[in-house]
Amino acid sequence: MTDLVRQSNIPACLSTIGVHDSRYVSANDRYLQMIERIWPEIENKDLVSNGSAIDNPQRDRRLWLLDTQGYYDSETAEIRVATGRIISVQISSQRVWCSGTACDVEFFRPLASANLAASGAIRNTQSSKKALLQPSIGQNLKMMALVDKRILVSRILSLAAEGAILASQMSKSENTKERLLNTVDVLENFRVFDRSSHTRIGFDFSDLDYCSLEDLLLQFTGEIWMIILCCKEPDVAEMLRYLVAEYTRPKPLVVSS
């Protein structure tokens, strides 16, 4: 059953049963990418407190179907990704027995967001990069599996973008506020409605390949570094530095006379 889950060409996971104590047994790369987590984060962890499941009446109904008829098909549901964003999916599931333990195997189909731009493609940003990855991060990324790299960089970019929006709201300088909002506008095609909060803006980079994702991160953080250099508000500058300094550094500027 674990092999079936891992080899599935759609997002899938296997978990022990239970309303409040179900735990992950296996998940494939497509599922991890969908919920923006790496396997060590959720291995043998609870689906609700540490995973993507949301404890609500809809989940109770799906569990009741598994208890009473042993399966359900194409049930619409909401799940939570690592950054807190809630997405809509269809789930098909079946109750199975694995080495004497009752488990549920689930298969997912993400439902397209109406607010996500039809095309997630971006232009090549190689010439406009203004930041470099920190050496330690760059070395670690080289050793990571592709799916884990995509998840990590996507989460860094999402949190940096949300932080930049918050910093713009804190800033009393109209110039800093405008520059921050203009920088976040680069990510306009990736904004989605976040049902977890009426005031929060979410981002979805799942359509991007890894190279485009890394380019976008370095382009975005490079712009943040430029704003930090010009910012006259110490608290805002420190907040922005906290967002980007752990992962990137400003690209050296070469001035020719």
Side-chain angles (χ1 to χ4, degrees):
M1 186 57 65
T2 297
D3 289 342
L4 174 66
V5 167
R6 291 176 179 170
Q7 294 169 12
S8 174
N9 60 0
I10 61 174
C13 73
L14 179 70
S15 63
T16 58
I17 69 169
V19 177
H20 302 296
D21 58 355
S22 54
R23 296 182 177 274
Y24 285 102
V25 176
S26 179
N28 64 3
D29 287 348
R30 290 178 182 270
Y31 177 81
L32 295 173
Q33 184 175 322
M34 180 180 68
I35 68 169
E36 300 177 3
R37 291 190 180 276
I38 59 175
W39 178 241
E41 288 184 289
I42 63 172
E43 182 178 8
N44 201 34
K45 298 292 180 60
D46 183 82
L47 268 68
V48 175
S49 59
N50 299 99
S52 66
I54 298 175
D55 189 13
N56 57 22
Q58 289 74 27
R59 180 171 185 262
D60 292 341
R61 176 181 180 277
R62 296 194 302 273
L63 291 175
W64 175 80
L65 289 172
L66 289 170
D67 289 338
T68 57
Q69 65 183 30
Y71 74 96
Y72 60 79
D73 184 46
S74 298
E75 290 281 324
T76 300
E78 291 185 334
I79 62 173
R80 182 180 291 106
V81 304
T83 52
R85 182 168 49 86
I86 294 175
I87 63 174
S88 296
V89 296
Q90 281 189 340
I91 311 177
S92 297
S93 181
Q94 184 171 340
R95 181 67 49 84
V96 295
W97 286 87
C98 302
S99 301
T101 300
C103 296
D104 295 328
V105 58
E106 296 176 294
F107 298 93
F108 297 78
R109 184 170 73 87
L111 299 178
S113 169
N115 291 336
L116 185 60
S119 173
I122 61 170
R123 66 183 183 278
N124 190 312
T125 59
Q126 187 71 29
S127 61
S128 62
K129 288 181 184 177
K130 296 179 182 178
L132 297 168
L133 290 169
Q134 288 282 14
S136 58
I137 295 292
Q139 289 299 319
N140 286 333
L141 286 172
K142 289 179 181 178
M143 296 184 291
M144 293 173 67
L146 180 60
V147 63
D148 292 342
K149 291 197 294 185
R150 289 184 63 180
I151 292 167
L152 176 62
V153 173
S154 177
R155 283 169 64 174
I156 292 173
L157 184 53
S158 293
L159 293 173
E162 292 175 20
I165 293 173
L166 179 59
S168 72
Q169 296 169 348
M170 290 176 52
S171 176
K172 296 180 176 62
S173 165
E174 289 302 320
N175 181 57
T176 299
K177 186 187 300 287
E178 182 179 2
R179 291 192 64 179
L180 282 168
L181 292 177
N182 287 340
T183 299
V184 176
D185 280 346
V186 173
L187 308 178
E188 181 64 30
N189 285 349
F190 307 100
R191 290 195 189 196
V192 292
F193 176 66
D194 190 343
R195 284 184 296 280
S196 64
S197 169
H198 294 296
T199 60
R200 181 177 174 184
I201 296 175
F203 295 87
D204 181 0
F205 302 104
S206 59
D207 288 338
L208 291 181
D209 60 62
Y210 176 73
C211 291
S212 296
L213 192 56
E214 184 180 295
D215 284 348
L216 190 58
L217 172 68
L218 296 179
Q219 178 188 6
F220 180 81
T221 53
E223 295 293 340
I224 297 298
W225 279 114
M226 297 297 289
I227 294 172
I228 291 172
L229 291 174
C230 302
C231 185
K232 305 299 184 183
E233 300 172 284
D235 54 339
V236 174
E238 184 60 26
M239 178 179 180
L240 293 174
R241 189 182 302 276
Y242 179 79
L243 288 176
V244 299
E246 291 296 317
Y247 314 107
T248 64
R249 56 184 178 173
K251 194 170 186 178
L253 298 177
V254 178
V255 180
S256 58
S257 57

